[in-house]
Amino acid sequence: MSALLLWSQALRPSTSRAFSFPNPALSRRCLHASASVEAAAKKAKPAPKTKKAPKPKPKIKVRRIWRSPESMDIPDAVFLLKALEISRPNSAIEVSVLTNKVGNQQIQGRLSMPRDPRTASRKILYFCEPEKVEQALEAGATWAGGETLIQQVLNGEVKPEMCLATPEILPSVVKTLARFLGQKGILPATKRGTVNKDVAKGLRDARGAFTWRSDRNGMVHAKVGRVYFTPEEIEKNLQALLQNIRGGGKKVSEFEKETMYSVLKVNMSSTQGPGIEIRGIKS
C-alpha cells in the first residue's frame, strides 16, 4: 500500500512550478530571456509627446524715417522736403513755432499771408446794406444781403463757411444768429477782423486770412505753403507769420525792437516728411 502511494505521488505533476521542462538547460535559457525582457521593459522610457511646431510670427515692416542731424536754412529745408514729397505736389508745408508764452495765457491772431496756402476757396457770406450787395458780390462774396439773408441762414437754406458783416447790420446778426453761428465759430466779430465798413477790403483780407492760436505749451502750428510753392514764397509766408506771432496777433514792423513775444524755435515739416529745425531765425 505504501509503495502504491509513493508511485502515485511521483506521477502527479509538481504544483510548485507553473511549467516543467524535461530539459533543465532549456528551462534556464527561457527564464533568463524572460528576465532580460522584463528588465528592458522597465528601462524603456515612454515616447515623448510630439509638440506642434510654433507658427511663424508675421514680419513687421518698420518704416525708417529720415531725421536731420543738424538744423538747416529755409531754402535747404524746403529743397529737402520737396525731394521727399516729389510724388505728392499738393502736400502742405507746415511749421511749429515755439514761443516764450508764460502761464495759461493763449496767443492768437489773424493773418493774411502773401500767398494763401489753402487749396480750396471757402463760401463767404457778407451781411451788408442793400446798396453794398453788388459791390460785395463783385469782390468775391458767395452771398450778400441783409434781413432776408439772415432768415435764409436761420432756416438752413444758406450754409456759409465764413461770415462777414458791416458795423451797421452787426447788432441784428448777433441778436438773431448768435447761437446758430457761434457754435460753428463763424459769427462776425470785431476781434476776428470779420467786421469792416469797406466791403472790398474786408473780402480781400478774409479770403487769404486764417486764425492761428497757441497751445498750452506755447507752440503755434500753421501751414506756410504747399510743395509746389517756390522757396521764396514759403519764406515770405513764414516771415509774415513770425512777425504776427511776435506782436501777439498784431502787425509788427520788421525793424520794431520791442515785441510782446519771442520766437525760441521753429521746425518745418511736410505731410509725410521729417521735422527739420530752421536756423537763423531771429527771436
Side-chain angles (χ1 to χ4, degrees):
M1 185 67 182
S2 60
L4 183 60
L5 181 60
L6 292 172
W7 180 253
S8 62
Q9 289 179 357
L11 294 177
R12 187 182 301 171
S14 177
T15 57
S16 61
R17 294 182 182 178
F19 300 96
S20 60
F21 295 92
N23 190 349
L26 182 62
S27 175
R28 287 193 300 271
R29 194 180 302 170
C30 291
L31 291 174
H32 180 71
S34 62
S36 61
V37 170
E38 291 178 0
K42 290 180 180 179
K43 290 182 180 180
K45 296 181 180 179
K49 296 181 180 179
T50 57
K51 295 182 179 180
K52 294 183 179 180
K55 295 182 180 180
K57 296 182 180 180
K59 295 182 179 180
I60 301 175
K61 295 182 179 180
V62 180
R63 182 189 172 202
R64 295 182 179 180
I65 301 177
W66 184 88
R67 296 292 180 185
S68 174
E70 298 179 355
S71 58
M72 294 185 178
D73 296 328
I74 296 177
D76 295 337
V78 173
F79 178 79
L80 177 60
L81 294 176
K82 281 176 172 286
L84 295 174
E85 299 280 356
I86 191 170
S87 61
R88 294 175 289 270
N90 202 33
S91 298
I93 302 294
E94 304 174 356
V95 292
S96 300
V97 183
L98 180 62
T99 63
N100 62 340
K101 180 186 76 71
V102 180
N104 296 326
Q105 61 180 346
Q106 186 184 50
I107 316 171
Q108 63 178 358
R110 188 169 180 82
L111 173 66
S112 179
M113 291 187 175
R115 182 171 181 181
D116 190 3
R118 292 168 296 190
T119 54
S121 59
R122 294 177 294 176
K123 298 179 180 179
I124 301 176
L125 185 150
Y126 212 118
F127 295 106
C128 58
E129 294 76 21
E131 59 271 13
K132 296 183 179 180
V133 171
E134 293 184 4
Q135 184 182 357
L137 294 175
E138 291 177 359
T142 310
W143 302 281
E147 297 295 336
T148 305
L149 192 58
I150 292 175
Q151 292 299 325
Q152 291 179 352
V153 173
L154 190 61
N155 297 334
E157 300 175 8
V158 176
K159 298 179 180 180
E161 297 177 359
M162 184 177 184
C163 294
L164 306 176
T166 56
E168 291 78 12
I169 202 172
L170 181 62
S172 179
V173 174
V174 173
K175 181 180 179 180
T176 310
L177 301 175
R179 182 176 297 180
F180 185 76
L181 297 179
Q183 294 178 353
K184 300 180 180 180
I186 57 176
L187 182 69
T190 307
K191 293 182 179 180
R192 296 178 181 175
T194 53
V195 178
N196 202 323
K197 284 186 177 182
D198 191 347
V199 176
K201 183 178 182 301
L203 283 168
R204 186 170 58 253
D205 294 341
R207 279 201 301 267
F210 72 97
T211 303
W212 58 266
R213 57 177 54 88
S214 64
D215 57 14
R216 60 182 180 180
N217 298 320
M219 188 76 73
V220 177
H221 304 277
K223 297 177 182 178
V224 293
R226 297 281 168 178
V227 172
Y228 58 84
F229 283 18
T230 62
E232 292 77 14
E233 292 173 340
I234 295 176
E235 186 172 1
K236 288 180 180 179
N237 286 350
L238 177 58
Q239 294 297 342
L241 175 65
L242 295 179
Q243 290 181 20
N244 200 252
I245 291 174
R246 292 188 186 102
K250 300 178 182 179
K251 292 183 179 180
V252 180
S253 174
E254 184 179 356
F255 304 99
E256 192 170 347
K257 295 182 179 180
E258 294 183 1
T259 56
M260 296 180 63
Y261 299 96
S262 299
V263 176
L264 304 179
K265 186 178 180 181
V266 178
N267 283 353
M268 182 179 290
S269 63
S270 58
T271 303
Q272 296 186 3
I276 304 172
E277 184 179 352
I278 304 299
R279 64 187 174 196
I281 299 296
K282 297 180 181 179
S283 60

